[in-house]
Amino acid sequence: MANTKHAPHGGYSPDMDAPAHEATYSGFVRFAEIGTAVIICHVLALAVGGIKHAWLTAIFGVILSLAAGAVGAFSPSIGVRAPVGVAILLLLALILY
């Protein structure tokens, strides 16, 4: 346990780099959003393969979701929208097949 007896403000130092903390937190949240969307795509791809027996579509959906996740991670302006688009396509495949 940290010794906060001698540190002012309960262990927080005003000398901490607040912009760096905000940037790290923002990056973590973006990574968590994109990762969650990619996992949802994988679950939908498993549903397409398992329920509709369209395993080639499922494999294509997994590969496409991984690529979309990478694009979203490296392009903050796109972000989570890329894997969400793949999730919508997989959901349509699940409904329409």
Side-chain angles (χ1 to χ4, degrees):
M1 186 167 170
N3 185 5
T4 60
K5 188 175 185 180
H6 302 292
H9 309 294
Y12 172 74
S13 172
D15 297 332
M16 294 178 88
D17 190 6
H21 286 261
E22 292 294 324
T24 302
Y25 179 73
S26 174
F28 170 76
V29 169
R30 188 175 72 236
F31 174 76
E33 289 174 345
I34 292 170
T36 302
V38 169
I39 295 300
I40 289 170
C41 288
H42 291 184
V43 170
L44 286 171
L46 284 172
V48 167
I51 294 172
K52 303 296 183 175
H53 302 288
W55 287 106
L56 289 177
T57 304
I59 292 169
F60 180 71
V62 168
I63 292 170
L64 192 61
S65 69
L66 290 172
V71 167
F74 288 115
S75 178
S77 63
I78 295 174
V80 72
R81 289 182 292 200
V84 166
V86 176
I88 290 170
L89 291 174
L90 286 169
L91 189 60
L92 286 173
L94 184 62
I95 293 170
L96 298 176
Y97 267 121

